Amino acid sequence: MNLKRVVVTGIGALTPIGNTAGDFWQNLLNGVSGAAPITRFDVSKFRTRFACEVKNFDPLNFIDRKEVKRIDRFTQYALVASDEAIRDAGLDKAALNKDRVGVIWGSGVGGLDVFHEEIIAFAKGDGTPRFNPFYVPKMIIDIAAGLISMRWGYRGPNFATVAACATSNIAMIEAFNLIRLNKASVFITGGSEAPLSPGGIGGFNAMRALSERNDSPQTASRPFDKDRDGFVIGEGAGAIVLEEMEHALARGAKIYCELAGGGLSADAHHLTAPHPEGLGAVLVMENTLEDAEMKATDIDYINVHGTSTPLGDIAELIAIKKIFGEHAYTMNISSTKSMTGHLLGAAGAVEAIACIKAVEENIVPPTINHFTDDPAIDPKLNLTFNKAHQRTVNVAMSNGFGFGGHNATVVFKKFVK
């Protein structure tokens, strides 16, 4: 089959360290942490009292007041990031066949805020079921994809993906495959998450998944450090415009890079813990390299899942050494979650943007907050600790692994016609 080639022509981001893709990228390179005490609700009785919140965000600067009341925060984030990506790609001014422009957008948990608010209100009432008529459409995960399409009139394939922290990598892979198969010419894809609610913090605390370093939030997300104690939860959105290569060239679009391949696998092991030998991670990276028709030695940089958990960080590095062998020591590896925190279903899209920019600008963002070497981690691996590293990045890989054992990996490369 003659598969179409797929390129990246637009990016947009709304993150704890920058409310545009440009600001996000610069703060990554500068090693800025987005972690701080939670401001959204009273956390005095929670074990974890900090997170990576989106800062200085007013939805009314982007969205009509009436619509803001009808949509959850995760959808607000989706609309803002996708608007930026669409304008960055020049789609807002392009003559498009909107029947061939689709949206695939993901979220791990969707409208957690509105779910919490409505259930609390019901519990405090007299038992009479008085619910907001927008309760269901505000909560459901697919509403973000639907509203992006309504906002721009895109009538192509439209749906949501859900696979915990692998969600937006899978959204990109689905969009990539549909373009390759000539089912569409353009996709707006990515993910958004707004889990910073009492249920979100309390639920992850109950699992003992979150860092409890309340005395030093900015240094709490410390992937690969000996004293890491869990991930730092975050919120935000990442949006990417994927486009069939000839379509992009015909309209004179700026091309950031090429999306070369994607792979999927399952751990089939545990609800929340990774396979200790990284078997699912090995398989997903193998599948991705095969899909991209690449060798392991082609990879220059891996943006790892790297959440700052004791088990997860080790398992991923075990898998990388199995796949890449001696080449593992010549690549750069980094976890940008050390700065953004873990954006759950939005993580893959935001981290893909980090890879896209690394390929474009030949610089690898760092893993910040490294203080103490972990004796369980091979010291010869280049984990890009604390400072960005200038190097040629022809190919960058991004891993996303989710609760339930879902694994999804994408790989980007410099565009050569």
Side-chain angles (χ1 to χ4, degrees):
M1 183 178 293
N2 183 25
L3 296 175
K4 303 289 186 177
R5 291 172 65 185
V6 180
V7 295
V8 176
T9 57
I11 54 176
L14 179 59
T15 78
I17 61 168
N19 292 6
T20 66
D23 288 345
F24 160 67
W25 176 241
Q26 285 306 309
N27 284 325
L28 278 186
L29 298 185
N30 292 333
V32 174
S33 170
I38 291 170
T39 64
R40 198 109 4 107
F41 57 95
D42 180 11
V43 291
S44 58
K45 295 183 179 180
F46 287 76
R47 289 204 304 273
T48 295
R49 298 186 289 277
F50 63 94
C52 287
E53 293 180 330
V54 168
K55 302 163 186 68
N56 304 314
F57 172 72
D58 183 351
L60 295 176
N61 291 332
F62 307 94
I63 306 165
D64 176 77
R65 183 179 299 274
K66 186 180 292 186
E67 187 173 14
V68 166
K69 293 180 179 179
R70 296 176 177 177
I71 59 177
D72 186 84
R73 187 179 291 266
F74 93 98
T75 305
Q76 295 172 15
Y77 294 165
L79 293 178
V80 172
S82 60
D83 276 3
E84 182 189 2
I86 287 164
R87 293 190 172 103
D88 183 46
L91 296 181
D92 57 326
K93 298 175 181 177
L96 299 173
N97 177 356
K98 294 186 177 182
D99 293 350
R100 288 185 58 81
V101 182
V103 182
I104 303 177
W105 195 268
S107 180
V109 293
L112 198 58
D113 257 349
V114 69
F115 178 79
H116 176 84
E117 291 165 2
E118 291 291 321
I119 296 303
I120 291 295
F122 176 71
K124 288 181 175 179
D126 62 3
T128 304
R130 298 184 182 93
F131 287 87
N132 188 313
F134 294 102
Y135 170 41
V136 172
K138 285 177 75 171
M139 181 183 66
I140 54 178
I141 287 171
D142 62 293
I143 204 68
L147 284 172
I148 292 168
S149 71
M150 294 174 208
R151 193 170 175 88
W152 292 94
Y154 300 149
R155 295 182 294 271
N158 187 289
F159 59 93
T161 56
V162 182
C165 311
T167 290
S168 49
N169 272 4
I170 293 176
M172 286 183 282
I173 291 168
E174 288 295 301
F176 171 63
N177 283 331
L178 286 171
I179 294 173
R180 284 204 294 183
L181 294 169
N182 199 30
K183 303 296 184 182
S185 301
V186 182
F187 268 101
I188 290 77
T189 185
S192 57
E193 205 77 89
L196 304 185
S197 70
I201 301 300
F204 282 110
N205 263 162
M207 295 170 61
R208 300 283 182 176
L210 297 182
S211 171
E212 298 179 19
R213 204 177 296 276
N214 295 299
D215 58 339
S216 184
Q218 290 187 320
T219 68
S221 183
R222 47 179 73 184
F224 314 118
D225 188 89
K226 178 179 179 291
D227 298 318
R228 63 194 182 276
D229 71 329
F231 72 83
V232 177
I233 195 168
E235 62 174 355
I240 295 169
V241 174
L242 296 179
E243 191 164 352
E244 191 271 319
M245 180 189 72
E246 296 295 345
H247 186 275
L249 292 172
R251 68 180 188 88
K254 173 185 175 179
I255 293 176
Y256 283 95
C257 63
E258 183 171 357
L259 177 51
L264 305 171
S265 78
D267 276 9
H269 171 68
H270 188 272
L271 278 176
T272 58
H275 193 286
E277 297 174 22
L279 295 188
V282 168
L283 182 58
V284 76
M285 287 185 280
E286 284 180 340
N287 290 343
T288 302
L289 290 171
E290 180 182 359
D291 189 53
E293 298 182 344
M294 289 181 177
K295 305 183 295 296
T297 51
D298 292 327
I299 306 298
D300 299 303
Y301 166 50
I302 302 181
N303 188 303
V304 288
H305 188 59
T307 57
S308 185
T309 57
L311 297 178
D313 290 4
I314 297 292
E316 186 169 11
L317 294 182
I318 288 171
I320 286 171
K321 289 180 68 175
K322 285 181 179 178
I323 288 289
F324 293 94
E326 288 298 311
H327 182 61
Y329 302 123
T330 66
M331 300 185 304
N332 275 75
I333 299 166
S334 77
S335 172
T336 49
K337 288 185 179 74
S338 59
M339 294 171 275
T340 64
H342 191 355
L343 274 60
L344 308 184
V350 168
E351 289 156 19
I353 291 170
C355 287
I356 290 162
K357 293 296 290 183
V359 169
E360 182 191 28
E361 297 194 5
N362 293 309
I363 188 166
V364 173
T367 305
I368 69 165
N369 294 331
H370 181 72
F371 304 101
T372 308
D373 290 343
D374 184 341
I377 291 175
D378 189 338
K380 293 188 293 181
L381 292 170
N382 183 358
L383 298 172
T384 322
F385 285 135
N386 297 325
K387 289 183 67 175
H389 182 194
Q390 196 88 41
R391 65 165 292 167
T392 299
V393 183
N394 289 314
V395 184
M397 175 179 278
S398 182
N399 286 338
F401 309 144
F403 284 173
H406 315 293
N407 306 308
T409 295
V410 289
V411 63
F412 298 91
K413 69 178 183 181
K414 287 193 188 299
F415 173 66
V416 178
K417 187 175 176 182

